Every structure is written in C-alpha cells, then in structure tokens.
Amino acid sequence: MEKIAASIMCGNQLALGQELLDLQVAGIDWLHCDVMDGVYVNNLAMAPYVLEPIIQIKKFTTDIHLACVDPEKYIEMFAPVQPDYLTFHIETTEEPEALLKKIHGKGIKAGIAINPVTPIEKIFPYLDSLELILVMTVNPGFAGQRFQWPVLEKLERLNSQLDGKKVRPLIEVDGNINAETTASISKIGANLYVVGTSALFNDQAGTYKEKVSQLKQHFVTR
C-alpha cells in the first residue's frame, strides 16, 4: 500500500473547509497534522481546537505528529480529539515504551518519528509496539527544506529489519516529497508520503487531483 498524505498545515488556513473538499476529490484519504511547540522546533502549529473539527468529519485517516518536547503532556492534550494515530519523536523521551502504552490506552494507534541525524536503530526495540514509523527526510519545523538523501540508507536498514514480520508498522516519510524523491523512496519501500508545499499546496498549475496523480505515477508496483 502506497498513499499520499496531505500535510494540512500547508493548506490555505483561511479556506480549510474547501481545502478538505478538494483533497477528497483528489483521492486523498490521509491527513498529516503537525503540532509544533516553538521549543522542540522553532515554529508553532496546530492547536486541538483547529484539528478537532477536521478529525470529527471522519473523512480522513489522521496522524497527529507531535514535534514537541514533553510529549506526554501533548498526548494528554490531543488524545481527546481522537486522531487515528499519535506520533511522538524518539529524540524527546527516555521512555518510548511508556508513551506507546499511554497512546494505546487512549484507544489510538501509536507512532514514533525520527529525525534525519538520528540512527534508525534507535527505534528497533519498539517495532513490535507501534503501528507507524515517521521517517523525517528534513529537519522538522518548516516546509520547503532540502531533502536529505542519506535518509534513504536509513529506510533500507529499516525495511531490512521489518522483513519477515507478520505485522509491519506503516512507514511514513515527510519532508520535500515530490516526484523525484517519491520515485527514489518507492524503490526502497514506504507506505505514506506526506506532501505539502513542494508538490501539492503551491501555486503551480494543476488541480490537487492532477498533482496527486502525477506523484502516484512514481510509485513502484510490487
């Protein structure tokens, strides 16, 4: 399964209702929802009251990505809006297993995000305890950064580690995902491609449906 997930933070915040309708028409059924605290990353986004109505329409599978220090605090804050997935950064905690259990205790699927410079092996002890792995291909915080190509080697090691598992967590990639990077990632293996300003929410000609179709042409058939 390979799907496009729209980074709703990058959409037109003055017309989110229309954006959601246009994304549905484009065939997108996953939303990536960035939450930033201004501490772990030098940016702010998105509050529970913003995400709650988006989640409540139940038209999308939603993943809330907590780019925050003190992830336990934010798990408690965002669990009531009941996203499908809550994802925290491995770099922000010394007790990943406890956070995974806390998320599962809220009736939500759990994910771990990992930054480009962090060795992928750091999450290997938790592969049987989570449902999603978010591999950042840029440093979290801002859209439009340069894709970090060495991350592809991490994806190869991750897929090798997952080979043979009866139940595999989803692999999500986020950061300057466009036609070129999608093609390279798909050859290695991923499930979810987070797209934002690089390939979807931009001023380039074409509808969302056309842009999504162009990206999907670069998926490798398995």
Side-chain angles (χ1 to χ4, degrees), residues 3-214:
K3 288 191 173 187
I4 301 297
S7 176
I8 196 60
M9 178 188 75
C10 299
N12 182 351
Q13 303 301 296
L14 294 178
L16 276 180
Q18 186 60 52
E19 292 280 50
L20 295 174
L21 290 173
D22 292 343
L23 292 173
Q24 284 181 262
V25 171
I28 286 179
D29 57 8
W30 273 75
L31 291 183
H32 183 81
C33 310
D34 287 298
V35 172
M36 305 178 189
D37 62 358
V39 180
Y40 184 63
V41 296
N42 192 27
N43 200 358
L44 294 169
M46 301 177 69
Y49 70 86
V50 175
L51 293 179
E52 185 173 18
I54 294 174
I55 292 169
Q56 285 184 341
I57 63 172
K58 297 188 183 302
K59 299 293 185 181
F60 302 90
T61 299
T62 50
D63 168 34
I64 292 182
H65 169 203
L66 301 174
C68 309
V69 299
D70 194 4
E72 185 170 6
K73 168 186 172 181
Y74 288 91
I75 289 168
E76 293 291 345
M77 187 183 300
F78 283 88
V81 307
Q82 284 293 293
D84 295 286
Y85 295 78
L86 266 172
T87 300
F88 62 89
H89 272 266
I90 190 73
E91 298 88 359
T92 64
T93 180
E94 295 181 358
E95 299 182 337
E97 193 72 51
L99 293 182
L100 293 170
K101 289 179 179 178
K102 179 175 284 291
I103 294 170
H104 288 146
K106 306 289 186 183
I108 299 169
K109 295 176 182 177
I112 290 180
I114 186 165
N115 287 336
V117 298
T118 305
I120 195 67
E121 289 76 13
K122 191 169 182 180
I123 66 170
F124 285 0
Y126 314 106
L127 294 179
D128 293 327
S129 302
L130 48 71
E131 288 79 33
L132 185 144
I133 301 160
L134 172 58
V135 179
M136 296 299 301
T137 52
V138 303
N139 294 318
F142 292 91
Q145 298 180 61
R146 186 185 300 274
F147 186 89
Q148 297 195 27
W149 291 99
V151 174
L152 295 183
E153 297 176 8
K154 291 172 62 174
L155 279 171
E156 289 177 342
R157 297 200 301 275
L158 175 59
N159 275 287
S160 294
Q161 187 70 17
L162 292 174
D163 282 347
K165 285 189 176 292
K166 292 181 179 179
V167 180
R168 288 174 55 117
L170 298 174
I171 298 175
E172 185 176 37
V173 288
D174 181 11
N176 202 355
I177 302 300
N178 53 39
E180 180 186 11
T181 56
T182 293
S184 296
I185 292 167
S186 186
K187 293 174 183 176
I188 298 168
N191 304 107
L192 299 165
Y193 298 73
V194 178
V195 292
T197 54
S198 296
L200 187 64
F201 299 109
N202 53 42
D203 296 329
Q204 296 175 6
T207 65
Y208 290 168
K209 186 174 183 179
E210 290 168 340
K211 292 175 183 178
V212 168
S213 178
Q214 290 168 4

